[in-house]
Amino acid sequence: AVHRACNSRLTPKDPKKNFVQKEKTPDEYTLEDDGFVIAKTDFAAQQISSRIADKIKSGEIKGTRSFSGEFFIIDSGLLMQKTQPVLAFLKAKKNATIEDLKSALNIQPTLIKIVCAFLSEDGLILEKRKEQYSFID
């Protein structure tokens, strides 16, 4: 039990952020392997949130609800790592699709969608059409 407890205590400074970067179905993602998880219902999001409440309070994990109603829960370090390149690309191009971002940045589409949901929530980008984003000047 002690061994498992030690491994589960990740701090924001932990360098272990080597998450799998592979496209999967939404219910196959895990915080441990992928750095994010997608909850399709309020109930599922509440279950996940209650399990990781301490990490949410400490800021290690962030969550948001997408426009389509899914809940995205992501490791803060992974979010920070991917936000900068996505935002820089959108700033330079003004408009881009998920496919454009994937090709240019080599980031999996689901992760791009999650990063863009947070950027949109922060008022930095706008989702003009499904999976098409614009930088807000």
Side-chain angles (χ1 to χ4, degrees):
V2 172
H3 178 69
R4 189 166 13 107
C6 291
N7 286 340
S8 67
R9 266 197 321 250
L10 293 178
T11 63
K13 297 171 227 70
D14 192 334
K16 183 237 172 248
K17 306 295 181 201
N18 297 329
F19 296 115
V20 177
Q21 291 287 294
K22 188 177 147 227
E23 223 21 47
K24 302 176 182 179
T25 63
D27 49 349
E28 289 181 312
Y29 292 108
T30 66
L31 277 170
E32 298 77 19
D33 294 337
D34 305 292
F36 62 89
V37 68
I38 300 168
K40 295 212 178 236
T41 65
D42 287 347
F43 181 72
Q46 288 169 351
Q47 281 189 310
I48 294 166
S49 296
S50 66
R51 200 174 68 233
I52 56 168
D54 56 330
K55 290 184 179 188
I56 293 170
K57 278 184 190 148
S58 72
E60 289 178 64
I61 304 287
K62 293 192 180 284
T64 192
R65 185 180 198 146
S66 75
F67 190 69
S68 59
E70 301 164 308
F71 292 88
F72 298 138
I73 301 165
I74 188 169
D75 177 272
S76 296
L78 179 61
L79 179 62
M80 288 189 323
Q81 178 190 17
K82 301 301 180 186
T83 294
Q84 197 52 47
V86 169
L87 194 56
F89 185 82
L90 285 168
K91 201 173 197 176
K93 297 287 183 188
K94 302 294 181 218
N95 295 294
T97 64
I98 283 187
E99 198 53 46
D100 297 334
L101 288 157
K102 175 187 172 230
S103 298
L105 305 175
N106 197 24
I107 300 172
Q108 70 187 90
T110 302
L111 184 52
I112 292 169
K113 190 175 179 180
I114 293 170
V115 169
C116 287
F118 280 91
L119 288 170
S120 183
E121 186 179 276
D122 290 343
L124 299 170
I125 68 169
L126 186 66
E127 187 172 5
K128 290 227 170 185
R129 283 187 216 96
K130 184 176 168 75
E131 300 186 353
Q132 179 157 2
Y133 303 95
S134 296
F135 181 76
I136 298 173
D137 281 319

